[in-house]
Amino acid sequence: MDLFSFREEEWFDHPIEWLAPFRVRQLFHWFHHRGIWDYSEMDNIPLSLRKRLSEEFPVESVHINRWISSREDETKKILFQLPDNNIVEGVLLSYRHGLSFCISTQVGCAMGCRFCASTLGGKVRNISRSEMLQMFYLAQREFGKKITHLVLMGSGEPLDNLEEVKGFLDILTHPKGQDMSWRNVTISTSGLVDGIEQLILWGHPLTLAVSLHSARQEIRSELMPIAKKWNIQSVAEAAFRYQAISGRRVSFEVSLIEGVNDTKEDLQMLIQLLQGKGAHVNLISLNPTQELGLVSSSSKRLQHFKKSLEAVGIHATIRREMGRDIQGACGQLRNSVLEENTRRNDGKSISRR
Ligand code: SF4
């Protein structure tokens, strides 16, 4: 049993006869309010009990493998080493409104988006809720400031790992844990309609970000293979349903790629899909990724898209670029570390694929 990953009610589903209810409350506080899972540090619990807990319920630890600070801004890129030695990324971004943590939900990704470095080696495995919680607590502790916003937009498709994501968020938002506001959590999806339906049923006021990238079915299918399963219309309908029921405005993410999805026709189709729907468009300048050979549209083109969308009443922003000097794009740093390790180990990567 992994006690660290238990929601409050799950402690009572799996009662441990030698652990009194007040000890359970103490443990939950240490784990999820203090972010500490090393029993030896829990000084209000008797030594004999700490020893028994560590023998019977050891918590497998995540570690920080690398902590890289941007010279351009306050962005921090973190490489986490999971208990099985897999490596995943996280990013801390400082804004005026608070500190935001972008977390990975899978090691690698199965979705195959053409512009994304995270998918180059495919999906290795899901990240457990215990690992996600530890990454959050480690990042917060190391930065020395409370994380106020969480974005599930690192490597992986969160809705392809929804049960673990739900457990992670239930604990993080628990009043006796970090008490994070559901409204400060954003889940990004490549457009898994069944997953969006699950979020609707779950019923929390999260922000949903849909990676759209093109409103033209043929272009989107080329960029994102998942679009062949869930077409644009079905994704947009599910997103608008989510918006209507949750009361949270959906953000459609569009990375503009020169000569691929930044034409006049792309713009018109985007307007046709979103006009009058109350949605938000977040325009993104594509991070250059050596392996993928795609180039971002110019900032002039991004501005043109923004102005044209706003002119027809669609709320649009251009995502501020942060931490480019530390390879801020999803999956890039992990890939370069894996390559480096492969070279160093003469062909033996530390990732267990
Ligand atoms: S963009 Fe997201 S969903 Fe697409 S391959 Fe990358 S991590 Fe996966």
Side-chain angles (χ1 to χ4, degrees):
M1 275 197 300
D2 177 12
L3 299 184
F4 183 75
S5 69
F6 279 7
R7 294 173 174 94
E8 195 184 35
E9 65 275 16
E10 286 167 336
W11 284 89
F12 301 100
D13 295 341
H14 304 90
I16 300 161
E17 57 173 30
W18 46 269
L19 216 50
F22 82 98
R23 293 285 179 216
V24 168
R25 285 194 292 277
Q26 280 179 320
L27 277 172
F28 193 87
H29 183 85
W30 277 107
F31 285 160
H32 304 301
H33 186 74
R34 306 275 305 263
I36 285 171
W37 53 93
D38 179 348
Y39 296 112
S40 69
E41 293 183 41
M42 302 178 181
D43 54 13
N44 59 354
I45 295 178
L47 257 178
S48 56
L49 193 54
R50 282 187 256 166
K51 189 166 175 287
R52 186 165 184 186
L53 282 163
S54 57
E55 281 165 6
E56 296 194 25
F57 302 109
V59 182
E60 293 201 297
S61 273
V62 173
H63 298 282
I64 291 180
N65 176 291
R66 277 188 207 187
W67 177 275
I68 304 165
S69 300
S70 169
R71 286 182 301 273
E72 296 174 359
D73 51 50
E74 280 195 78
T75 304
K76 312 286 177 200
K77 188 98 180 185
I78 312 160
L79 278 188
F80 295 100
Q81 187 161 335
L82 305 182
D84 63 357
N85 286 338
N86 269 303
I87 298 277
V88 290
E89 298 177 16
V91 185
L92 280 168
L93 300 140
S94 282
Y95 296 100
R96 263 202 305 269
H97 61 261
L99 181 63
S100 179
F101 183 45
C102 175
I103 196 167
S104 296
T105 53
Q106 294 178 320
V107 182
C109 184
M111 296 299 134
C113 302
R114 266 191 58 208
F115 47 84
C116 175
S118 293
T119 197
L120 289 173
K123 173 179 154 185
V124 180
R125 68 169 175 86
N126 286 332
I127 299 179
S128 70
R129 63 168 110 156
S130 170
E131 291 167 332
M132 287 186 258
L133 287 163
Q134 288 187 39
M135 288 194 275
F136 184 98
Y137 301 151
L138 283 169
Q140 181 164 265
R141 200 187 308 160
E142 191 67 25
F143 194 86
K145 196 170 155 188
K146 191 161 175 66
I147 295 171
T148 54
H149 293 70
L150 178 69
V151 186
L152 285 77
M153 214 181 257
S155 73
E157 163 57 67
L159 302 187
D160 184 38
N161 184 20
L162 193 51
E163 283 317 304
E164 291 305 301
V165 163
K166 280 180 173 177
F168 166 51
L169 295 178
D170 279 339
I171 292 172
L172 208 61
T173 53
H174 195 286
K176 292 181 203 150
Q178 295 294 307
D179 199 16
M180 173 166 273
S181 163
W182 286 101
R183 291 176 171 269
N184 290 357
V185 178
T186 300
I187 289 191
S188 168
T189 178
S190 55
L192 269 55
V193 171
D194 50 354
I196 297 174
E197 298 295 347
Q198 290 292 317
L199 286 185
I200 293 172
L201 291 174
W202 198 28
H204 291 293
L206 305 149
T207 299
L208 178 66
V210 175
S211 295
L212 184 65
H213 304 305
S214 176
R216 291 163 66 192
Q217 180 61 31
E218 70 280 14
I219 302 291
R220 190 164 190 267
S221 304
E222 219 176 276
L223 290 172
M224 309 176 72
I226 191 67
K228 292 177 190 137
K229 180 170 182 193
W230 304 108
N231 67 28
I232 289 177
Q233 218 47 49
S234 65
V235 174
E237 278 167 21
F240 295 141
R241 236 185 346 270
Y242 180 85
Q243 183 168 275
I245 293 170
S246 68
R248 305 288 292 156
R249 184 163 66 178
V250 172
S251 176
F252 288 89
E253 311 286 304
V254 180
S255 295
L256 284 188
I257 307 166
E258 191 177 77
V260 176
N261 62 354
D262 66 349
T263 64
K264 198 173 162 193
E265 194 184 347
D266 288 295
L267 180 57
Q268 277 164 357
M269 294 290 280
L270 195 56
I271 291 172
Q272 205 173 307
L273 184 73
L274 301 180
Q275 192 173 20
K277 298 291 201 295
H280 168 250
V281 175
N282 193 21
L283 297 162
I284 302 164
S285 165
L286 190 77
N287 271 285
T289 307
Q290 225 178 344
E291 307 92 315
L292 302 172
L294 298 171
V295 179
S296 173
S297 305
S298 65
S299 53
K300 204 170 151 200
R301 199 74 195 135
L302 270 100
Q303 283 296 344
H304 174 68
F305 263 62
K306 180 176 185 293
K307 282 191 186 133
S308 307
L309 292 168
E310 286 173 341
V312 296
I314 300 173
H315 190 266
T317 49
I318 296 176
R319 186 195 282 173
R320 193 148 61 95
E321 293 169 30
M322 294 170 85
R324 276 213 179 196
D325 62 320
I326 51 170
Q327 296 172 296
C330 165
Q332 283 178 272
L333 184 61
R334 171 178 174 262
N335 286 352
S336 48
V337 168
L338 291 181
E339 274 168 27
E340 192 184 301
N341 287 335
T342 306
R343 278 198 301 275
R344 197 180 301 143
N345 298 338
D346 195 23
K348 288 179 209 130
S349 164
I350 63 167
S351 170
R352 291 184 188 167
R353 287 166 187 248

